[in-house]
Amino acid sequence: MTADKNKLTDINNRQETLSIIGNGIFEDEVPDNVRPVVQEFMRRGGIVKAKERSIIELVITDKARELLSKGLVKSGTVITALTPPELITSGNWRNFIIKKFDLSIPPPPQAPIATKHFFAEFIKFVKEVFVSLGFEEVYGPHIELEFWNFDALFQAQDHPAREIHDTYFLKYPSTGKLLDNDLVSRVAHTHEDGWITGSRGWGYKWDPGRAVRLVLRTQTTSVSVRTLHDRGDGEYRAFTIDRVFRPEILDPKHSMEFNQADGIVVGEKLSFKHLLGVLEALARGGMGMKKVMFKPAYFPFTSPLCRGLCIS
């Protein structure tokens, strides 16, 4: 086999051209004999790219020379931002010349475009899944009475979750009001002796003064129980996804503020299987899970409810 010397020479010339312009070179400095090669490189997949640059030459005027000679012009440092903050607090900004901003100049086109946070998009998607299952979104206050956050959910008033270690209490105002005396009476009797529910209750004297204390809600179930009270009997499905607050230690998996989902279905001839069916539909449709298994857990103030989802 023999090599074509002309082609070898052409390859060497191209390599020499790349080495010439490898570190950047002005257009008028490119030798005439390699210009065709450079143009070919620019056409072939951007091997070589041309960048436009502006060269600005500043020349002092005669008037400025005259003022300098008379000592009427002094040098100074121009700054465009009052950072760090100590520049202001120390008063040292007076020793600098602050450049004026021209607000008529448009911002650079490379400014980043604002986008929605991925978690906000996820919550929006889960809400759409709830709606697709026939649920209506309901809302409730972030500042809640202990009555709706705990008592109406049959959580005992001496439960550890109702202490400062797990709940934020308002300092001012510290209490609110309950206007439905009949509802308060029914909840009180349910806590004390079970009322007509068939339960024996908690067996203590229920304290209405504790029920009116204000807290940052610890669970969105307070919204569900408010909805049950407001709408009563009938047939409806309601859900809420919103913020709750607990005195957690901040770490990658915990925060003092997070979002919680809660839903209720009211109607005739409903059973525990209907609850499992809704949860499975949410897991499959909302989370894209293919296999869902349920593990029951016992919570005295919410039983019977399935609180665990084992996903595989």
Side-chain angles (χ1 to χ4, degrees):
M1 297 178 65
T2 59
D4 190 328
K5 294 183 178 181
N6 293 330
K7 291 185 177 180
L8 288 175
T9 302
D10 186 53
I11 292 174
N12 291 332
N13 291 339
R14 292 170 183 269
Q15 292 177 342
E16 291 178 2
T17 301
L18 287 176
S19 63
I20 292 174
I21 63 176
N23 296 323
I25 189 173
F26 289 102
E27 184 179 4
D28 56 359
E29 296 177 351
V30 178
D32 293 336
N33 61 323
V34 298
R35 282 182 181 275
V37 180
V38 174
Q39 292 175 356
E40 181 182 348
F41 284 154
M42 294 176 64
R43 292 194 302 268
R44 294 175 57 185
I47 298 176
V48 175
K49 294 182 179 180
K51 295 182 179 180
E52 293 186 1
R53 295 181 179 178
S54 299
I55 299 177
I56 302 175
E57 295 183 359
L58 301 178
V59 180
I60 190 171
T61 63
D62 295 336
K63 182 65 174 179
R65 293 180 187 276
E66 180 183 350
L67 294 175
L68 280 171
S69 63
K70 295 179 180 180
L72 299 178
V73 177
K74 296 182 179 180
S75 62
T77 303
V78 178
I79 59 175
T80 59
L82 292 176
T83 54
E86 292 78 11
L87 194 65
I88 301 176
T89 57
S90 65
N92 198 29
W93 60 272
R94 297 183 179 88
N95 301 324
F96 299 93
I97 300 172
I98 302 175
K99 182 180 179 181
K100 294 183 179 180
F101 290 94
D102 187 355
L103 299 180
S104 64
I105 299 176
Q110 293 82 9
I113 300 175
T115 58
K116 294 183 178 180
H117 194 276
F118 73 93
F119 187 66
E121 289 293 282
F122 170 73
I123 291 179
K124 179 182 177 182
F125 174 73
V126 176
K127 288 183 178 182
E128 291 174 351
V129 175
F130 266 108
V131 173
S132 69
L133 294 174
F135 284 78
E136 174 190 356
E137 186 172 8
V138 292
Y139 306 90
H142 290 166
I143 297 176
E144 188 59 277
L145 292 166
E146 277 200 54
F147 179 85
W148 294 111
N149 197 78
F150 297 120
D151 295 279
L153 298 172
F154 196 53
Q155 188 178 79
Q157 291 189 324
D158 60 353
H159 194 281
R162 300 179 67 157
E163 301 299 331
I164 60 174
H165 306 291
D166 294 281
T167 303
Y168 285 115
F169 292 88
L170 267 68
K171 185 174 182 180
Y172 181 82
S174 60
T175 59
K177 293 182 179 180
L178 286 169
L179 303 179
D180 191 335
N181 293 328
D182 182 55
L183 173 64
V184 173
S185 176
R186 296 200 302 269
V187 170
H189 284 298
T190 303
H191 276 250
E192 292 173 359
D193 53 33
W195 189 45
I196 61 174
T197 64
S199 167
R200 292 179 297 177
W202 295 113
Y204 63 80
K205 181 62 177 178
W206 186 76
D207 182 7
R210 179 154 192 170
V212 295
R213 294 196 301 182
L214 291 173
V215 299
L216 290 179
R217 68 180 182 194
T218 63
Q219 53 193 355
T220 49
T221 314
S222 61
V223 183
S224 297
V225 74
R226 278 181 174 271
T227 303
L228 288 172
H229 172 260
D230 294 340
R231 298 194 179 186
D233 297 332
E235 293 187 359
Y236 53 89
R237 302 180 183 186
F239 82 96
T240 183
I241 301 179
D242 207 344
R243 290 177 293 173
V244 296
F245 311 87
R246 298 179 188 178
E248 299 279 359
I249 297 176
L250 185 63
D251 62 33
K253 294 184 178 180
H254 299 85
S255 176
M256 294 74 72
E257 174 185 326
F258 57 95
N259 285 273
Q260 193 177 68
D262 211 271
I264 53 173
V265 179
V266 179
E268 296 182 359
K269 298 180 179 180
L270 293 175
S271 67
F272 189 62
K273 289 184 178 180
H274 290 96
L275 171 62
L276 300 184
V278 172
L279 292 176
E280 183 175 359
L282 287 170
R284 292 181 181 274
M287 314 297 177
M289 299 174 182
K290 296 181 180 180
K291 187 176 181 180
V292 181
M293 294 185 296
F294 296 97
K295 295 179 64 176
Y298 177 65
F299 288 79
F301 56 92
T302 60
S303 181
L305 281 182
C306 182
R307 285 287 187 158
L309 278 179
C310 181
I311 310 301
S312 62

